[in-house]
Amino acid sequence: MNCSISGEVPEEPVVSIKSGLLYEKRLIERHISDYGKCPVTGEELTMDDIVPVKTGKIVKPRSLTAASIPGMLGMFQNEWDALMLSNFALEQQLHTARQELSHALYQHDAACRVIARLKKERDEARSLLAQAERQAPLPASAATADVSALSNGKRESEDVGPGGKRMRPGVSDSIIAELTECNATLSQQRKKRQIPPTLVPIDALERYTQLSSHPLHKTNKPGITSIDINLSKDIVATGGVDSNAVLFNRTSGEILSTLSGHSKKVTSVKFVASNDVFLSGSADKTVRIWQRSEEGNYDCRHILKDHTAEVQAVTVHATNNYFVTASLDTTWCFYDLSAGLCLTQVEDPSNSMGYTSAAFHPDGLILGTGTTGATVRIWDVKSRGNVANFDGHTGAVTAISFSENGYFLATAAHDGVKLWDLRKLKNFRSFELYDQDTPTNSVDFDHSGSYLAIAGSDIRVYQVGSVKAEWNCIKTLPDLSGTGRATSVKFGPDARYLAVGSMDRNLRIFGLPEDDASTES
């Protein structure tokens, strides 16, 4: 039965007792409230004349559209369209949920990293504080500076001057007196200095070959950038692209310690000869001072953050109480080693070139620095004044080495090696060893001043002559790393061996086979 108004099967049927017609309840109620008459007969009609009809719960009959194939196809099409729209909405909601989840996970990961870094800095600060308490008390000013450095590695107690620059305590008269006294003593000793009888002779050095190769650094970031040797203990230190410094006992062939903490490659490593202290400079703009503990491990005692660009070189003064760092930020810093305090930061307003290398003169009152602009700058340490400049190189000056005779300086750059006479301030010899695409990366005089080692695409050893006499090439050693880039070279005690680092992860030792009884190739 159908509604007399809509013609459809009513959901809530009612019947008029006057006319007997069937209606949908909501439709007839609306019509009575508006007109008060029966919509079909026109008689007066009230809701009292309407009686509900009780029906059973039955399935509604199909509509006419479902009674034919075209109708069913149309119905299916409508249902399919509705399903697709619903699926599209669900996919949009899923994509939004995934983005929100990804963002939440990223924030969670970043928060975990920050927490881990803060915990690490806190632990380092606690460790440094514990070490400082165990050591002998420092002067009040130095102790205050150390405590202020422990929180985040920066010296918050330093005053800030005009332009936002830090105010340094400066090099005091007592320090200058100490440097002058050291210079006088070493200069006097140098006049009486003789070549030690234990120095390896030329004929033995001509027979040098590779004795051993030691994989010290990671394979995923290969490359040794710097080498230094503790001559008294025969310990070799290497700095790597993997941001680690490694201390290696050449006699036993064992790794003594792997020093981790820098976030970028280690560019320079130096031993402090008088005590168990080790220095490392890095491309992360920091310098770290490592102290050997009673257990034999090296702990980070200070993290120095005075530079604003990569630290390229670290060099230790002959007193072993001070050291200098050189950086690409166009400054070099003079530090007190015991306090880990920057006494002065030297910046020449006329120089816009960053420093790529640095070395102290053996007597300690002259500092040599190489720049990105191919210039070698010589400084008076007492006055921190630039007293001489050597020009002539092409490309950045990659390495500097002073001879123990006190008046020869060797510098390396892209165009080879130049030798300078410090007495007359002039270049008296040049070695153009490699092609124009191969830079010279390292130079090193041995401790006696008798030999000069050069590293580039190979390793060459020269006999040191004089200003007029020839410098003969005694030995040429191949770069066995296969990279064609020997980055660093260093003579061992009495030139008994050569330590070579390349752009692979191996430290190579060259010497006489009969002298090597402790390491294996």
Short mmCIF file of all heavy atoms in Angstrom, two decimals, residues 435-469:
data_model
loop_
_atom_site.label_atom_id
_atom_site.label_comp_id
_atom_site.label_asym_id
_atom_site.label_seq_id
_atom_site.Cartn_x
_atom_site.Cartn_y
_atom_site.Cartn_z
N ASP A 435 103.42 16.77 -11.15
CA ASP A 435 102.73 17.53 -12.20
C ASP A 435 101.82 18.57 -11.57
O ASP A 435 101.62 18.61 -10.35
CB ASP A 435 101.95 16.58 -13.12
CG ASP A 435 100.91 15.76 -12.35
OD1 ASP A 435 100.05 16.37 -11.67
OD2 ASP A 435 100.97 14.52 -12.42
N GLN A 436 101.23 19.40 -12.41
CA GLN A 436 100.46 20.54 -11.92
C GLN A 436 99.17 20.15 -11.22
O GLN A 436 98.57 20.96 -10.53
CB GLN A 436 100.14 21.48 -13.08
CG GLN A 436 99.31 20.82 -14.20
CD GLN A 436 99.02 21.77 -15.34
OE1 GLN A 436 99.45 22.92 -15.30
NE2 GLN A 436 98.31 21.29 -16.35
N ASP A 437 98.74 18.89 -11.40
CA ASP A 437 97.51 18.43 -10.74
C ASP A 437 97.79 17.73 -9.42
O ASP A 437 96.86 17.28 -8.75
CB ASP A 437 96.75 17.48 -11.67
CG ASP A 437 96.27 18.17 -12.93
OD1 ASP A 437 95.95 19.37 -12.85
OD2 ASP A 437 96.24 17.52 -14.00
N THR A 438 99.07 17.60 -9.04
CA THR A 438 99.42 16.86 -7.83
C THR A 438 100.09 17.80 -6.83
O THR A 438 101.22 18.24 -7.06
CB THR A 438 100.38 15.70 -8.14
OG1 THR A 438 99.78 14.86 -9.13
CG2 THR A 438 100.66 14.89 -6.89
N PRO A 439 99.42 18.14 -5.75
CA PRO A 439 100.04 19.04 -4.76
C PRO A 439 101.04 18.31 -3.89
O PRO A 439 101.01 17.08 -3.77
CB PRO A 439 98.83 19.51 -3.93
CG PRO A 439 97.87 18.37 -4.02
CD PRO A 439 98.05 17.78 -5.40
N THR A 440 101.94 19.07 -3.29
CA THR A 440 102.83 18.53 -2.26
C THR A 440 102.15 18.76 -0.92
O THR A 440 101.80 19.89 -0.58
CB THR A 440 104.19 19.24 -2.31
OG1 THR A 440 104.71 19.17 -3.63
CG2 THR A 440 105.16 18.59 -1.34
N ASN A 441 101.99 17.68 -0.16
CA ASN A 441 101.14 17.75 1.03
C ASN A 441 101.89 17.88 2.34
O ASN A 441 101.32 18.36 3.32
CB ASN A 441 100.25 16.50 1.10
CG ASN A 441 99.31 16.39 -0.09
OD1 ASN A 441 98.65 17.35 -0.46
ND2 ASN A 441 99.27 15.22 -0.71
N SER A 442 103.16 17.44 2.39
CA SER A 442 103.83 17.41 3.68
C SER A 442 105.34 17.51 3.50
O SER A 442 105.90 16.98 2.52
CB SER A 442 103.47 16.13 4.44
OG SER A 442 104.12 16.07 5.69
N VAL A 443 106.00 18.20 4.42
CA VAL A 443 107.47 18.25 4.49
C VAL A 443 107.87 18.06 5.95
O VAL A 443 107.15 18.49 6.86
CB VAL A 443 108.04 19.57 3.96
CG1 VAL A 443 107.91 19.66 2.46
CG2 VAL A 443 107.42 20.76 4.64
N ASP A 444 109.06 17.45 6.16
CA ASP A 444 109.52 17.23 7.53
C ASP A 444 111.03 17.06 7.57
O ASP A 444 111.58 16.20 6.89
CB ASP A 444 108.84 15.98 8.13
CG ASP A 444 109.26 15.74 9.57
OD1 ASP A 444 109.08 16.66 10.39
OD2 ASP A 444 109.78 14.64 9.87
N PHE A 445 111.70 17.93 8.34
CA PHE A 445 113.11 17.74 8.65
C PHE A 445 113.22 16.71 9.78
O PHE A 445 112.40 16.71 10.71
CB PHE A 445 113.75 19.04 9.12
CG PHE A 445 114.08 20.00 8.01
CD1 PHE A 445 113.28 21.11 7.78
CD2 PHE A 445 115.20 19.81 7.22
CE1 PHE A 445 113.58 22.01 6.77
CE2 PHE A 445 115.51 20.71 6.20
CZ PHE A 445 114.71 21.80 5.98
N ASP A 446 114.23 15.84 9.71
CA ASP A 446 114.44 14.94 10.84
C ASP A 446 115.03 15.74 11.99
O ASP A 446 115.44 16.90 11.84
CB ASP A 446 115.35 13.78 10.44
CG ASP A 446 116.81 14.18 10.42
OD1 ASP A 446 117.16 15.06 9.59
OD2 ASP A 446 117.59 13.65 11.23
N HIS A 447 115.07 15.12 13.19
CA HIS A 447 115.45 15.85 14.40
C HIS A 447 116.90 16.35 14.35
O HIS A 447 117.24 17.33 15.01
CB HIS A 447 115.25 14.97 15.63
CG HIS A 447 115.40 15.72 16.92
ND1 HIS A 447 114.54 16.75 17.28
CD2 HIS A 447 116.30 15.61 17.93
CE1 HIS A 447 114.91 17.23 18.45
NE2 HIS A 447 115.96 16.57 18.88
N SER A 448 117.73 15.71 13.57
CA SER A 448 119.13 16.15 13.46
C SER A 448 119.31 17.26 12.42
O SER A 448 120.35 17.91 12.39
CB SER A 448 120.02 14.96 13.09
OG SER A 448 119.78 14.55 11.75
N GLY A 449 118.32 17.44 11.55
CA GLY A 449 118.44 18.42 10.50
C GLY A 449 119.27 17.94 9.32
O GLY A 449 119.70 18.74 8.49
N SER A 450 119.45 16.61 9.21
CA SER A 450 120.29 16.05 8.15
C SER A 450 119.48 15.62 6.94
O SER A 450 120.03 15.54 5.83
CB SER A 450 121.08 14.85 8.69
OG SER A 450 121.89 15.24 9.78
N TYR A 451 118.20 15.30 7.14
CA TYR A 451 117.37 14.80 6.05
C TYR A 451 116.07 15.59 5.97
O TYR A 451 115.57 16.12 6.98
CB TYR A 451 117.04 13.32 6.25
CG TYR A 451 118.25 12.42 6.37
CD1 TYR A 451 118.48 11.69 7.53
CD2 TYR A 451 119.17 12.31 5.34
CE1 TYR A 451 119.58 10.86 7.66
CE2 TYR A 451 120.29 11.49 5.45
CZ TYR A 451 120.49 10.78 6.61
OH TYR A 451 121.60 9.97 6.73
N LEU A 452 115.52 15.65 4.76
CA LEU A 452 114.23 16.28 4.53
C LEU A 452 113.34 15.29 3.78
O LEU A 452 113.73 14.78 2.72
CB LEU A 452 114.39 17.56 3.71
CG LEU A 452 113.08 18.26 3.29
CD1 LEU A 452 112.37 18.84 4.50
CD2 LEU A 452 113.35 19.34 2.25
N ALA A 453 112.15 15.03 4.31
CA ALA A 453 111.18 14.14 3.66
C ALA A 453 110.05 14.96 3.07
O ALA A 453 109.58 15.93 3.68
CB ALA A 453 110.62 13.13 4.66
N ILE A 454 109.62 14.56 1.86
CA ILE A 454 108.55 15.26 1.14
C ILE A 454 107.50 14.23 0.71
O ILE A 454 107.86 13.15 0.22
CB ILE A 454 109.11 15.99 -0.10
CG1 ILE A 454 110.18 17.01 0.32
CG2 ILE A 454 108.00 16.67 -0.88
CD1 ILE A 454 110.91 17.64 -0.85
N ALA A 455 106.23 14.55 0.89
CA ALA A 455 105.14 13.64 0.53
C ALA A 455 104.21 14.31 -0.46
O ALA A 455 103.78 15.45 -0.26
CB ALA A 455 104.37 13.20 1.77
N GLY A 456 103.89 13.58 -1.53
CA GLY A 456 102.92 14.03 -2.53
C GLY A 456 102.30 12.80 -3.17
O GLY A 456 101.59 12.03 -2.53
N SER A 457 102.58 12.59 -4.46
CA SER A 457 102.15 11.35 -5.09
C SER A 457 103.09 10.20 -4.76
O SER A 457 102.79 9.04 -5.03
CB SER A 457 102.06 11.53 -6.61
OG SER A 457 103.33 11.86 -7.14
N ASP A 458 104.25 10.53 -4.17
CA ASP A 458 105.17 9.54 -3.62
C ASP A 458 105.87 10.17 -2.43
O ASP A 458 105.52 11.28 -2.00
CB ASP A 458 106.16 9.05 -4.68
CG ASP A 458 106.96 10.19 -5.31
OD1 ASP A 458 107.07 11.26 -4.67
OD2 ASP A 458 107.46 10.03 -6.44
N ILE A 459 106.87 9.49 -1.88
CA ILE A 459 107.62 10.01 -0.74
C ILE A 459 109.08 10.09 -1.15
O ILE A 459 109.66 9.10 -1.60
CB ILE A 459 107.46 9.11 0.51
CG1 ILE A 459 105.99 8.96 0.87
CG2 ILE A 459 108.24 9.69 1.68
CD1 ILE A 459 105.32 7.74 0.31
N ARG A 460 109.68 11.27 -0.97
CA ARG A 460 111.07 11.46 -1.35
C ARG A 460 111.87 11.97 -0.16
O ARG A 460 111.38 12.81 0.61
CB ARG A 460 111.19 12.44 -2.52
CG ARG A 460 110.37 11.99 -3.73
CD ARG A 460 110.63 12.83 -4.96
NE ARG A 460 109.69 12.49 -6.03
CZ ARG A 460 109.81 12.88 -7.29
NH1 ARG A 460 110.85 13.65 -7.65
NH2 ARG A 460 108.92 12.53 -8.20
N VAL A 461 113.10 11.46 -0.05
CA VAL A 461 113.98 11.85 1.05
C VAL A 461 115.22 12.51 0.44
O VAL A 461 115.88 11.93 -0.43
CB VAL A 461 114.38 10.64 1.92
CG1 VAL A 461 115.29 11.10 3.05
CG2 VAL A 461 113.14 9.96 2.47
N TYR A 462 115.53 13.72 0.94
CA TYR A 462 116.68 14.47 0.45
C TYR A 462 117.73 14.59 1.56
O TYR A 462 117.39 14.70 2.75
CB TYR A 462 116.26 15.88 0.02
CG TYR A 462 115.55 15.94 -1.30
CD1 TYR A 462 114.20 15.63 -1.40
CD2 TYR A 462 116.23 16.29 -2.46
CE1 TYR A 462 113.53 15.68 -2.62
CE2 TYR A 462 115.57 16.35 -3.69
CZ TYR A 462 114.23 16.04 -3.75
OH TYR A 462 113.59 16.09 -4.96
N GLN A 463 118.98 14.59 1.13
CA GLN A 463 120.06 14.92 2.05
C GLN A 463 120.17 16.44 2.13
O GLN A 463 120.25 17.13 1.12
CB GLN A 463 121.39 14.34 1.57
CG GLN A 463 122.56 14.64 2.49
CD GLN A 463 123.88 14.18 1.91
OE1 GLN A 463 123.95 13.77 0.74
NE2 GLN A 463 124.93 14.22 2.71
N VAL A 464 120.14 16.95 3.35
CA VAL A 464 120.19 18.40 3.54
C VAL A 464 121.59 18.89 3.19
O VAL A 464 122.60 18.41 3.72
CB VAL A 464 119.83 18.78 4.98
CG1 VAL A 464 120.04 20.27 5.21
CG2 VAL A 464 118.38 18.39 5.27
N GLY A 465 121.64 19.87 2.28
CA GLY A 465 122.90 20.48 1.91
C GLY A 465 123.04 21.84 2.55
O GLY A 465 122.75 22.03 3.74
N SER A 466 123.45 22.80 1.78
CA SER A 466 123.58 24.18 2.26
C SER A 466 122.92 25.09 1.25
O SER A 466 122.26 24.64 0.30
CB SER A 466 125.05 24.55 2.45
OG SER A 466 125.72 24.50 1.20
N VAL A 467 123.09 26.38 1.44
CA VAL A 467 122.49 27.33 0.51
C VAL A 467 123.04 27.15 -0.89
O VAL A 467 122.33 27.23 -1.89
CB VAL A 467 122.71 28.77 1.01
CG1 VAL A 467 122.23 29.78 -0.03
CG2 VAL A 467 122.01 28.99 2.33
N LYS A 468 124.35 26.86 -0.99
CA LYS A 468 124.97 26.71 -2.29
C LYS A 468 125.13 25.26 -2.73
O LYS A 468 125.07 24.96 -3.91
CB LYS A 468 126.35 27.39 -2.28
CG LYS A 468 126.27 28.90 -2.07
CD LYS A 468 127.65 29.54 -2.13
CE LYS A 468 127.57 31.05 -1.94
NZ LYS A 468 128.91 31.69 -1.99
N ALA A 469 125.32 24.35 -1.76
CA ALA A 469 125.52 22.94 -2.11
C ALA A 469 124.20 22.28 -2.49
O ALA A 469 123.12 22.71 -2.07
CB ALA A 469 126.16 22.19 -0.94
#
